[in-house]
Amino acid sequence: MHDFRLTAEQLEFRDAIRDFVEREVKPAAIDPKRLEPFEKPLMTGFLDQLSQMGLRGLALPEDAGGAGADLLTRCVLLEEIAAGDVDLAMVLGETALLASAAHGAMTEAQRARWVPKFEAEDRFHLALLARDGTAGRAWSYHQAVPEDAETIGEPEVVATRDGKGWTINGLAPFVSNAPVAGLFIVQAKIDGEPGTVTVLLGRDARGLEVDEALPSFGDGGERARWHHGAVASVVLNDCKVGADDVIAADAAHRMFSGMAAQRMLQTAAVNVGVARAAYEAAVDYAKMRWQGGRHIIEHQSIGMKLADVAIQLEAARALTLKAAWITDHPDAVGERHVSDLPWHVVARSFTAQALHRATLESAECFGAMGVMRDMPLQKYVHDTLVLQHSVDCDLAAPLAVAEAVAGYSR
Amino acid sequence: MHDFRLTAEQLEFRDAIRDFVEREVKPAAIDPKRLEPFEKPLMTGFLDQLSQMGLRGLALPEDAGGAGADLLTRCVLLEEIAAGDVDLAMVLGETALLASAAHGAMTEAQRARWVPKFEAEDRFHLALLARDGTAGRAWSYHQAVPEDAETIGEPEVVATRDGKGWTINGLAPFVSNAPVAGLFIVQAKIDGEPGTVTVLLGRDARGLEVDEALPSFGDGGERARWHHGAVASVVLNDCKVGADDVIAADAAHRMFSGMAAQRMLQTAAVNVGVARAAYEAAVDYAKMRWQGGRHIIEHQSIGMKLADVAIQLEAARALTLKAAWITDHPDAVGERHVSDLPWHVVARSFTAQALHRATLESAECFGAMGVMRDMPLQKYVHDTLVLQHSVDCDLAAPLAVAEAVAGYSR
Amino acid sequence: MDFSLNEEQRGWQMEARKFAEEEIRPLSLARDQIADPKATFDWKIIKRGSELGFRTLAVPKEWGGHEADFVTQALVMAELARGDSSVSKTFSQCWKWSHLIAASCTKDQKERFLKPFMADHGFVLGKGGTEANAGSDNRMPPENDPKAGWRLRAERDGDHWVLNGSKMFIANGSVAKLFFVDARTNPDANIREGSTMFMIPRDTPGFRIGKVFNKRGWRFYQNGELIFENARVPHANVVGEVNGGVKARATDKSEFGDIELAANALGICDDAVGMAMHFARNHKRAGKLLIDHQLVQLKLNEMYMLTESLRSFVLRTAWERDRKLPDYGNNVLVMNYSQEVVQRVTRANMDIHGPEGAMMHARVDKLVRDAMIWTHLAGDTVQRVKIVKRLPLTLPT
Amino acid sequence: MDFSLNEEQRGWQMEARKFAEEEIRPLSLARDQIADPKATFDWKIIKRGSELGFRTLAVPKEWGGHEADFVTQALVMAELARGDSSVSKTFSQCWKWSHLIAASCTKDQKERFLKPFMADHGFVLGKGGTEANAGSDNRMPPENDPKAGWRLRAERDGDHWVLNGSKMFIANGSVAKLFFVDARTNPDANIREGSTMFMIPRDTPGFRIGKVFNKRGWRFYQNGELIFENARVPHANVVGEVNGGVKARATDKSEFGDIELAANALGICDDAVGMAMHFARNHKRAGKLLIDHQLVQLKLNEMYMLTESLRSFVLRTAWERDRKLPDYGNNVLVMNYSQEVVQRVTRANMDIHGPEGAMMHARVDKLVRDAMIWTHLAGDTVQRVKIVKRLPLTLPT
C-alpha cells in the first residue's frame, strides 16, 4: 500500500531541525563574512547542538541510546540540515552511518568500551579508513579491472601481525570526519597475506596523527579542495591494536556491504537540501525583485526557470526517498513492488545532474548577484558541482545501472 | 509512514494485465503489418477483453459494480496497458475517469438508468464534450486571459431552454472516445445567459452524430493526426434533453473540479508505459546485437544511453505515482508531508520531457532499425512526442508551477 | 578572411532556392504522406532537377559536369533541403559517388559509367555497404574479430566475379542504375584487407532489388535491399584493386559524405526557422501574438542561434575541404554537430507551433521525423568515437 | 569565400598567443587564488601587455593606435583568454570604449582623453550603467514605467554637472582612470530620452570608488562600486548630446561588446579542450588511458565540436562587422551561443578530469567558475528576448 506520509515522529523531528536551521544555522552560514573567504571552518557550535538533538546517534538502536532511524528518515533529516549548511550535514551523516554500521559489527565488549565514550562527548565523531573496492571500476565497463587501476587518494594501510594483535602503518590522504573523529574504523591490508583486517582505533591511539583540515588549495595552487564536511589526512605510524579492538571478519564484511549504497543516498539527500536552499532563495528574490515593470517571477523567462527548478527538485526528492525506502526494505524488489535496479546509483546520478542544473538556474535568476561571493547562490552552485564530481558520482557512475540491467559482471 | 509496496490486489491485477499484454496485446501491436500503415484502427477485440477484466469500471464504487480503484492504482494499471498499446490505455483511462466522475454526480435515478447500460455492454465507453476553461491560459502568464484567446479545437456547444429540458446544438471537432462512446457528458453554454448546463446524452440520441474516427491526415494533407486513443468530431443538431438527464449544477461543478488533474496524471502513467516498452525493447536488442566484438550493451556509449533511459524512467514513474497518491490524499499537503505544488503539472511536464528523450535514446540503440516503420521504436518515439505536445502539456505548461509558487493569480 | 560568395556560388544558390521553392516544396508533403514506401519517389522532380544541373553538379568539367566546389555543393544541398530534405539527399547521393568515380575509377570505367550517367537525367547512383549484421562493424572493425563487417561474398570466376549475399538500407536502392558495392574477396582477412568494391549496374544478372524500407522520415528517399544470387560482375568493374576496396574509397579525400549531411540539416533548420517565425508572427495565444511571449522569443532565439552557428561551421568546413587544408576532423565534427542542431531546431519548431486540438501541422511533424534520421546517419556515434584519433592536441585556427 | 587570415591578423594572433602562454598563464592561478578581491589585479601584466600593443589595439591609426579590424580583435581576445579570461577582458574592456571615443567624441574630448590614454600604459577604461535597482531595466526599459532604469542624477550647474548616486558591478571599477557613466538628466522622461553619458576622470571631485565586488569567477577582473556625492563634471565631458546618452552609444554600430564576450569564451574553450586532451592522453583509469574509453571519446568529440562551431561563428560574425553588412543579429546570437558553449565545454573538461580524492584540478575548477560569469553577462536573457525584433523573417546566407 503506497503511502507518502511521514510518521508523527519523523514530522516532529524534521520540523524541529528545519526550525533550528532556519533560525540559527542558515543566517550564520550565509553571512557575507562567512561566505566571502575561501576557508569556511566547520561551524562546530551548530555541530554540537545538532548532535545534542540526536543526529549523531540517529541510526543507533534505541537500546544503544540512538533513535533507530532508518535510511529514509536519515535522508529526510539530512536534507533539512543541508538546506542550512552542507558541511554539517555531511559530517553528521557520516557519523550516523558509521555509528550504526559499527555498532552492528562490534562485540558486546567493544560496545561496552566505545558506546559510552561516544555518548559522553558531543564532538565524538566517527571516521572510516577503507579502500573503496569499486574505485575506478566504472571506467572498465567491458573488461576486468586490472591491478594497475588508478585510485587517487585511496588509503594505503597495512597491518602486520603482532602477537594476538596487529601493528598498523599507513597513510590515508583524504579521510572524511578525521578532524572531528573520536574513533577511526580502519581497514588494513594484511602484510604478506591476502585479505584485510578491520580494527578500531581511538583518536588518542599512539602513532595516529590527524593532519590539519584540508586547505582550500594544495600542491602549490594546482589543486583545489573539492569535498564537503571535514576532511584531513591521517597517518598511522606503528599503531598497536589489541585483539579486543579487531572487528570479526564476517561482521566486518557485513558492515561494509551496503555501506556505500547508504552513503550515496544520504549524499543524494544532502544534494536535495542544497538545491532546495538555492530554489527558496531564488523564489524569494524573484517575488521581490522588480524589473521590466513587474516582479521578475512574472516574466515568463524567470517563471519558466523556477518552474523547472521546482520540478527537478521534486523529481530528485521523490527518487531519493524511494531509493532510500527500498534500501530499507530490500524484499520489495523480490516481491516485485519496484524494479530491480541499483537504486542508490539511479538516485545519486539523477540527483547530482538534475540538481546542479537546477541550482545554476536558481542562481541565474539573480543576474550578476548570482556570482557574488557575499551572496549564497554561487556557493550553492559550487556545492552541487562538488556533489556531481566526486568519488561516488562521476562521468562513468551511471554505467553501474547498465551493468545491472545487462546482467554483465565486471 | 512511507511505503512503496503495492497491495496484494494491486499486484495481482497488475500482473494479470501485464501477462495479458505481453502474451496478446504487444505481439499484435508491434506486428509489422500493423506498424507499417499510417492508419492504426483501434484494436477493439483487446479493448473488450480488457473491459471484461474490469478496466472500464475500474474507478467505479464497488456497489456500482466497479473496482473502486484510486488514481494511483489506475496509474499503475494504465502503465501496463500502455506498454502494449497506447490507444487502448487512453480509451480505457478516459472511460474509467469519466465513469467515476459521472457516477458521483448522477442522481439515483440517473444511475439506475445508465449504470445497467454501461454494465451490459463491453463496448460502452464514455466521452466528454466540455470547453477546457484553462485552454490557452498558460500563455498569458502575467495578464488576464482576454476573450479572444485562441482555443483551437474547443467545442462550441449551446443549450436553449425547452420547457423543463434543453435543446442542444453545436459542434465539437475533437472528442476523445467518441467513436466508442455509449454515453456523452455534454457541457453546454446556456443561450443568452451566463453559465453552463451539463447533460447526459446517449449515443442513440436523436440529432447526435459521431463522425468517422479522425484520419491520419486532414486539411488536404496540411494537418497530421496528433492524438492517442480514439477521437472523432461530434455534431449536436437539436438534441432534446429532458430534465431527468441534467446533472445538477453543484454536482457538475464537483465533477469537473479535479478531473483535469486526474487525466493529466493518467496520461503521465501512459507515457511511462510507452517509454518502458521502448526501454525494454532496447535492452533486449542491446543484449543480443553483436558489433565491435561484443554485445552492444557492453559498449560504454550504448550502456550509458540505456543507463540514462532507466534512470529517467524511474524518476518519471516515482514522480507520477507520488503525484497520483497526493491527488488521492490531498490532506497530505496541508499536513506538510509533501510540498504544496500543482503535482499533476509537475509530474506531467517532467514525464513528457524526460520520456521523449528516453524513448529517442532507446531508439538510437537500434541504429537504422530505430527509424524503420516495421519496427516499434519509431512508433514509441512518435507516441511520446504526441504526449509531449498536446493540449494539456505544451511549451508553456510548466508556467502553472511558477504561478502556484509565486502565489500569482492570472 | 572573406565570408562572401562568388558569383558562381551565388548563382547556384539562387537557382537551387528557386527550384526548391517553386517545384520541390509543393510536392513535399504529398510524397511524405504516401503510405507505400515504393511509391513515394517521383521521377519527374529528379529529371527536372537534373535538367537544371543538380544531379551532375559535382562531376568534373572534363566529363561534362559543373565541377562545383564544396562551398557551392553545400549551399545547393541546403537550399534543396529547405524544399525537401530527402529530395536534396537523392541528388547529393549522386554527387557523392561521382566524386568517387572521378577520384578512383579508370578511364575505361569513366567511359562506361560516367558518360551514361551524364547523358541520362534518370541515372542516379547508390552505394551498398551495410548488411543485416554489419553496421558499425564496417565503420570501425573490431581488432579482435577479423570476421566482422560485411559478408557479401565475391569469388573470382575467370574474367568475372560471382557475388552472393545481400545488402540492407541501401541508398537510392530501388531507383539507382549503378551501385558501388563492397564485397568480401578474402574471407579470412578483415574487411580492410579482404574486400573489394564493385560497380554493379542495375541489370547485372543474378542481382535484384528486394524490399524497399519503410522509414519514419526521409520517406521520398529510397533505401532498398540488394540481393545477389550468383550475380556475375565483370572484373573490369572492380574499383581500384582487388582486396583494396577500403583503400579505393580512401583515395577520395573530400570526406564529402559528412559535409553533405551537415549541409542538408542546415536546409531543414532554415525551413524550420522560417516556419516558426511566420507562425509566431501570425498566431495569437491568450490575446497576444506568440512572438510577444518571452517563451517564444527565447525559442526563436535558440533556433536562429543554432542555425547560424551551423551555417558558419558548414561553410567554413566546405571551404577547408576546397582548399584541401590539413584535416583536423572538422568534416566529422560538423556532421555530429548538425545532428544535435537539427534535433533541437525541429523540436523547437514543434514547441512553437504546438498541437491544434487533435492535429499537428503536417510539415512541422515531417521535419521532426526527417531529423530523426540524423540520429544514426553515417553511424553518428561511431564517427564521434573514431574522430578522436584525428583531433589535434590543441586546436588550430 | 576565404577563411584564411591575412598576415597582420596572423601576426597579432601569434603575438597574443605567445604573450598569453609565456606571461599571462603562469600567473593566472595564483591571481585567482587571492582571497581579497582588491588584491587580485596585477598592474605589471597590464603594462607589459600594453607595451606589446594589446591595450590600444582598437584605437584608430590617426590617434596612434593599431586600428585592428574585428577579426583581429576577436583572434587576440581568444588567445589572451586562453591564458586567462579575465586578463583578456581587462584589455578588451579598453577597446570597447576606445571604439566609442572614436565614434562619438569631439576632437577636444579626444585630445583630452584619447591622447593621455595612448600615452600611459596604466590608463584603462571603464563604463558604468548598472545600479542596484537597474539591471535589465537599462537594457529593455519597460514601456509602462518611465522611471525604470538608472537613477544616478545629474543636474546642471553652470558649466558643470553635479552628479549624485551610485553604480554597481562597474567594469575595471577600481583600476580605470576614466569612466563612461550614464546619468539621468531628465528624471521625468524614460532613460532613452532623459539620460546623458558623461566622461568621469577618476580624480573628479566628489567621485570615489566604493566596494570591489568579490566574484566566483573572473577574479582578476575588477568590478567596482562608483559613488557620486555632489561630483562635479564639466559640461565638456558630455558624450554626444544632453539627454542623448543612449543615442550617443548607438553611434557605434560595431556591437563590439557582444563579439567580445563570444571571442573571450572561445579562448576559454580552447584552453579547456587542450587540457582535456592532454589529461585524457596521459592518465589511466582502470588500466586504460582515459582516451581509450568511449565515454571520454564522446566527451572530447563534444568539446571539439562545440569549440569549432563557436570559432566558425565568431570569426564569421567579426568579418560581418568589419564589412558593416546589414546586421541581422549575429553579433547577439553568437554571444548567446558562446554562453551555452562555454558552460558545456568547461563542464565536460571537469567530467573528463574528475575529482582526485578530495581535490580538483584548480584550473579545471577555475574555468567552470569563469564560465559561470557568462550566465548573466550583457544581460544574456534580455538580449535573447530583444534580438527577436532584429531577426529576419527567413534566414539570409
Side-chain angles (χ1 to χ4, degrees), chain D residues 96-162:
Chain D
K96 191 163 171 177
W97 304 108
S98 50
H99 282 287
L100 183 69
I101 298 181
S104 304
C105 284
T106 62
K107 189 150 186 308
D108 160 67
Q109 290 171 333
K110 287 178 189 166
E111 288 286 341
R112 287 193 294 133
F113 295 113
L114 201 46
K115 277 203 173 161
F117 171 73
M118 293 306 297
D120 176 359
H121 287 307
F123 198 128
V124 303
L125 303 172
K127 158 83 189 0
T130 305
E131 297 178 9
N133 288 307
S136 52
D137 269 359
N138 299 336
R139 297 180 180 276
M140 200 161 60
E143 283 168 26
N144 55 358
D145 184 3
K147 298 222 183 272
W150 49 68
R151 297 186 180 187
L152 179 74
R153 187 76 179 92
E155 286 171 300
R156 188 78 182 250
D157 179 16
D159 273 355
H160 279 74
W161 291 82
V162 180

Side-chain angles (χ1 to χ4, degrees), chain B residues 5-89:
Chain B
R5 287 188 195 89
L6 299 169
T7 63
E9 294 76 28
Q10 286 169 333
L11 263 183
E12 192 186 340
F13 206 164
R14 182 196 73 178
D15 287 350
I17 295 178
R18 185 178 289 183
D19 184 55
F20 175 68
V21 165
E22 279 294 322
R23 244 182 328 103
E24 307 273 339
V25 179
K26 202 171 199 174
I30 66 175
D31 184 326
K33 285 196 210 64
R34 178 174 163 81
L35 283 172
E36 290 211 53
F38 293 141
E39 300 297 343
K40 295 190 175 33
L42 193 62
M43 295 187 288
T44 45
F46 294 135
L47 185 68
D48 296 348
Q49 283 176 275
L50 287 162
S51 293
Q52 284 154 18
M53 291 171 80
L55 272 301
R56 263 187 328 137
L58 193 56
L60 279 181
E62 293 186 24
D63 58 19
D70 56 13
L71 181 58
L72 185 135
T73 308
R74 279 180 272 156
C75 286
V76 168
L77 301 180
L78 287 172
E79 176 190 323
E80 297 300 327
I81 302 171
D85 181 70
V86 65
D87 294 322
L88 293 173

Side-chain angles (χ1 to χ4, degrees), chain C residues 282-301:
Chain C
N282 290 287
H283 289 78
K284 285 183 172 183
R285 290 287 179 273
K288 283 209 287 192
L289 285 176
L290 278 169
I291 199 169
D292 291 328
H293 288 279
Q294 279 187 356
L295 281 184
V296 172
Q297 291 163 346
L298 292 172
K299 277 283 164 196
L300 283 170
N301 170 282

Side-chain angles (χ1 to χ4, degrees), chain B residues 36-38 136-137 139-146 148-150 152-153 174 214-227 231 289-294 301 305 356-357 360 363-364 367-374 377-379 381-382 385 388-391 394-396 399, chain C residues 29 32-37 131-138 140-142 144-145 148 168-169 211-217 219 223 282-288 290 293 295-296 299 339 343 347 350-352 354-363 365 368-369 372-373 375-376 381 385:
Chain B
E36 290 211 53
F38 293 141
R137 283 186 63 191
W139 288 98
S140 63
Y141 187 44
H142 49 68
Q143 61 181 46
V145 186
D148 64 348
E150 250 187 66
I152 300 148
F174 307 117
L214 201 67
S216 294
F217 300 102
D219 285 358
E222 292 294 311
R223 295 283 176 278
R225 182 182 193 271
W226 199 258
H227 188 272
V231 65
R289 173 84 171 166
W290 184 274
Q291 293 282 286
R294 54 179 64 95
S301 59
K305 267 195 222 299
H356 176 63
R357 161 180 149 186
L360 191 60
E364 286 170 12
M369 304 296 289
V371 303
M372 296 300 155
R373 285 187 62 93
D374 55 357
L377 273 294
Q378 50 81 28
K379 179 175 190 302
V381 169
H382 180 78
L385 201 59
Q388 199 187 349
H389 296 85
S390 59
V391 174
D394 60 8
L395 177 60
L399 284 179
Chain C
L29 277 184
D32 181 63
Q33 292 168 11
I34 293 170
D36 177 1
E131 297 179 7
N133 288 308
S136 52
D137 269 0
N138 299 336
M140 201 162 58
N144 55 0
D145 183 4
M168 205 154 120
F169 306 140
K211 177 174 180 173
V212 172
F213 293 89
N214 194 355
K215 307 190 296 296
R216 181 171 186 236
R219 297 188 54 74
N223 289 84
N282 290 287
H283 289 78
K284 285 183 172 183
R285 290 287 179 273
K288 283 209 287 192
L290 278 169
H293 288 279
L295 281 184
V296 172
K299 277 283 164 196
Q339 136 70 0
Q343 303 301 331
R347 237 162 317 149
M350 185 167 280
D351 286 334
I352 289 178
E356 305 183 25
M359 303 298 269
M360 175 57 77
H361 191 299
R363 194 169 178 90
D365 172 41
V368 172
R369 288 188 284 102
M372 190 190 170
I373 303 290
T375 60
H376 71 273
T381 304
V385 164

Side-chain angles (χ1 to χ4, degrees), chain C residues 78-144:
Chain C
E79 293 296 339
L80 298 180
R82 212 156 160 173
D84 188 296
S85 168
S86 50
V87 173
S88 178
K89 174 66 179 154
T90 306
F91 287 114
S92 63
Q93 180 69 14
C94 294
W95 312 349
K96 191 164 171 173
W97 304 109
S98 52
H99 282 286
L100 183 70
I101 299 182
S104 304
C105 284
T106 63
K107 190 151 186 314
D108 159 66
Q109 289 171 334
K110 289 177 187 167
E111 288 286 343
R112 286 193 293 133
F113 295 113
L114 202 47
K115 276 201 174 164
F117 170 73
M118 293 304 299
D120 177 357
H121 286 309
F123 198 127
V124 301
L125 303 172
K127 158 81 191 355
T130 305
E131 297 179 7
N133 288 308
S136 52
D137 269 0
N138 299 336
R139 297 180 179 274
M140 201 162 58
E143 281 169 26
N144 55 0

Side-chain angles (χ1 to χ4, degrees), chain A residues 36 38 139 146 148 150 152 174 214 217 221-224 226 289 291-292 356 369 371-374 389, chain D residues 33 132-133 135-137 142 169 211 214-216 219 284-287 293 296 347 351 356 358-360 362:
Chain A
E36 290 210 53
F38 294 141
W139 289 96
D148 64 348
E150 251 187 65
I152 300 149
F174 307 118
L214 203 64
F217 301 101
E222 291 295 310
R223 296 282 176 278
W226 200 256
R289 172 87 172 165
Q291 292 284 284
H356 177 61
M369 304 294 290
V371 303
M372 296 300 155
R373 285 187 64 93
D374 55 357
H389 297 85
Chain D
Q33 292 168 10
N133 288 307
S136 52
D137 269 359
F169 305 144
K211 179 173 180 176
N214 194 355
K215 308 191 297 296
R216 182 172 186 238
R219 298 187 52 75
K284 285 182 172 184
R285 291 285 180 274
H293 288 279
V296 173
R347 236 162 318 152
D351 286 334
E356 305 181 26
M359 302 298 269
M360 174 59 77

Side-chain angles (χ1 to χ4, degrees), chain A residues 76-101:
Chain A
V76 167
L77 301 180
L78 287 172
E79 177 190 323
E80 297 301 328
I81 302 171
D85 182 69
V86 64
D87 293 322
L88 292 173
M90 291 300 274
V91 169
L92 287 163
E94 180 73 2
T95 295
L97 175 66
L98 292 177
S100 154

